Amino acid sequence: MTRIIADISVSADGFVTGPDPGPDNGLGNGGEALHTWAFSDDPDDRRILRDGTARSGAVVLGRHLFDIVDGPKGWDDTSGYGAGEVGKPAFVVVTGSPPESVRTTGLDWTFVTTGLPDAVAAACERAVAASSDSGKDLDVILMGGGATVRSALDAGLVDTPALHLAPVVLGGGTPLFTGQAPRTLVQRSVISTSTATHLTYDVLR
C-alpha cells in the first residue's frame, strides 16, 4: 500500500531553515545543522537514510525548493536525493508554471500547475507504477519545503509525518508549523542517534 509520508528535518524550535534562506543560501544561516544526520557515520542514521530512499516511489517538492536543488549550487551526483543510495525516484514539483529549462536533466521531473492535491495524486500514480515494477510497496515522499509540507498536512493529504529533530536552536527561519488546523498524531517510532531524534507518526483520521 502506497503511503504519503512528509519527511523533513526540523530544529528544536520548529524551523526547517535558518534565518535568511535564499537561492544561494537554501538552508538559511546555520541551517546546515538540520541535515548533519544525513551525512553522519552513525549506523542508525545511515539505515534511516537508506530505508527512506529505498521506499521512495515518487517525491513531491515545491517550486522554491526545486529552484534551489536545480540551481548552480544545488544537487549533483554526490549531494542529490539519496546520493550514494540505490535508485532515483520520480520527482513531482508543484508550481505556478514550469521552468524554462532544467539543469538536472538526469532526473525524472514532472511539473504540476494545478495545485498540491493534483501533484500528490500524480506522485501516487508514479509510486504505484514503481511499486508494480519493483514488486514491493513504495511510498510518496513529501520532502519540502516547509510550506509544501505544512499545506499538505492542512489539506489532510499526509498519512505519516517523519520528522528528523536536529539538536539545534536556529532562532528564526522557515517554520514548519504556523497555526494550522489541529491534527492528532499517533507515535509509531522514536530513534535517537548521535545527531538527531527521528520521530515517526501516523495521522489519526
Side-chain angles (χ1 to χ4, degrees):
M1 177 180 175
T2 295
R3 297 173 299 162
I4 302 171
I5 300 175
D7 190 302
I8 196 165
S9 298
V10 61
S11 69
D13 53 346
F15 295 99
V16 298
T17 74
D20 300 321
D24 295 325
N25 187 28
L27 289 173
N29 299 334
E32 294 83 2
L34 294 170
H35 293 161
T36 298
W37 72 271
F39 302 96
S40 165
D41 292 328
D42 186 298
D44 285 328
D45 285 326
R46 301 309 306 168
R47 177 179 56 80
I48 289 166
L49 181 65
R50 182 174 61 250
D51 290 350
T53 303
R55 74 170 183 252
S56 301
V59 176
V60 177
L61 61 158
R63 177 59 185 270
H64 177 68
L65 182 55
F66 167 79
D67 286 342
I68 292 171
V69 302
D70 192 58
K73 295 183 179 180
W75 286 350
D76 56 31
D77 290 340
T78 63
S79 64
Y81 185 89
E85 303 297 336
V86 296
K88 291 183 179 178
F91 293 91
V92 178
V93 181
V94 56
T95 179
S97 60
E100 294 183 1
S101 62
V102 175
R103 178 182 64 85
T104 49
T105 54
L107 299 177
D108 180 358
W109 296 105
T110 298
F111 298 93
V112 175
T113 61
T114 52
L116 180 58
D118 286 345
V120 171
C124 284
E125 290 181 3
R126 299 300 297 274
V128 168
S131 298
S132 179
D133 291 342
S134 67
K136 63 180 181 180
D137 287 338
L138 298 175
D139 297 319
V140 171
I141 308 297
L142 297 172
M143 67 169 286
T148 299
V149 170
R150 186 166 59 244
S151 295
L153 285 165
D154 285 352
L157 297 174
V158 175
D159 298 314
T160 301
L163 307 181
H164 310 286
L165 183 64
V168 60
V169 175
L170 293 173
T174 305
L176 181 56
F177 302 113
T178 56
Q180 67 278 4
R183 297 286 176 188
T184 300
L185 305 179
V186 178
Q187 184 171 289
R188 287 182 54 200
S189 69
V190 178
I191 301 173
S192 295
T193 71
S194 59
T195 60
T197 302
H198 304 279
L199 305 165
T200 305
Y201 303 94
D202 284 330
V203 176
L204 189 64
R205 302 296 186 183

